[in-house]
Amino acid sequence: MAGETVITVVGNLVDDPELRFTPSGAAVANFRIASTPRTFDRQTNDWKDGEALFLSCSVWRQAAENVAESLQKGMRVVVQGRLKQRSYETPQGEKRTVFELEVEEVGPSLKYATAKVQRAQRSGGGGYGGQGGQGGQGGGYSAAPANDPWATPAPSQSGGEPGGQGGGAARDPWGAPGVGDEPPF
């Protein structure tokens, strides 16, 4: 939607993501991240931490379930979404305004860590953003189609041709003769 403020924030999870379900069965995960700016002080030859920004985040549907299963307190993450402002009044009559992030994309930061990405398997037939499967508590897509590159195992690296390419060389563009494990560029 036009006029929305889309931002990307890199920070650490303050708590484990909290997964809940709406009465209609849609999953939502809430979490907070802390983003602390660092600057180098040439006079002291040391890094100085600035004031931390704490930002509440919410992510919906299958992404919410994936976040709750994959991320935990302390992990460094990259979060992209729409910044929203919400005003409310406390029971004491004080007016407050908070900023929250409606998350579109989230993932672990690989600057200081490694991750093994695995495509989430879902049951049901709702597709992306659907409400099918699991008693209405999540969308679903059924077994992956035969031409799905995420679902096919890596080609065998044993037997067959010289160079250990086996029968997978014809299907594997990275497995051209003489290339080995390195990309062809």
Side-chain angles (χ1 to χ4, degrees):
M1 182 180 268
E4 292 183 333
T5 304
V6 177
I7 65 169
T8 302
V9 180
V10 178
N12 292 14
L13 265 67
V14 175
D15 299 307
D16 288 338
E18 180 182 343
L19 181 65
R20 294 184 181 185
F21 293 91
T22 65
S24 65
V28 59
N30 295 305
F31 58 94
R32 288 188 327 136
I33 61 173
S35 180
T36 308
R38 295 190 96 196
T39 55
F40 188 74
D41 186 343
R42 292 180 191 227
Q43 294 175 346
T44 62
N45 204 29
D46 198 16
W47 288 95
K48 303 283 184 194
D49 286 338
E51 190 171 335
L53 167 69
F54 291 89
L55 194 56
S56 295
C57 303
S58 61
V59 61
W60 290 83
R61 297 177 185 75
Q62 183 63 41
E65 295 181 44
N66 295 346
V67 163
E69 185 176 322
S70 304
L71 302 177
Q72 57 189 316
K73 178 181 178 178
M75 286 184 167
R76 187 168 181 85
V77 293
V78 179
V79 180
Q80 181 267 327
R82 293 178 303 278
L83 189 63
K84 299 288 182 173
Q85 176 179 316
R86 183 171 55 89
S87 297
Y88 66 96
E89 193 171 313
T90 67
Q92 294 78 25
E94 300 171 331
K95 293 185 179 187
R96 302 263 171 98
T97 301
V98 294
F99 293 93
E100 300 169 326
L101 189 61
E102 287 183 4
V103 176
E104 282 292 320
E105 299 285 341
V106 58
S109 170
L110 301 180
K111 189 173 185 178
Y112 304 113
T114 61
K116 182 172 174 89
V117 177
Q118 178 179 330
R119 185 172 186 173
Q121 296 298 317
R122 296 169 48 186
S123 61
Y128 283 107
Q131 293 296 323
Q134 300 169 1
Q137 289 189 359
Y141 41 118
S142 56
N147 63 351
D148 185 352
W150 287 86
T152 56
S156 172
Q157 294 294 319
S158 61
E161 303 173 352
Q165 294 299 323
R171 293 185 314 265
D172 185 2
W174 302 107
V179 174
D181 290 336
E182 293 297 317
F185 47 79

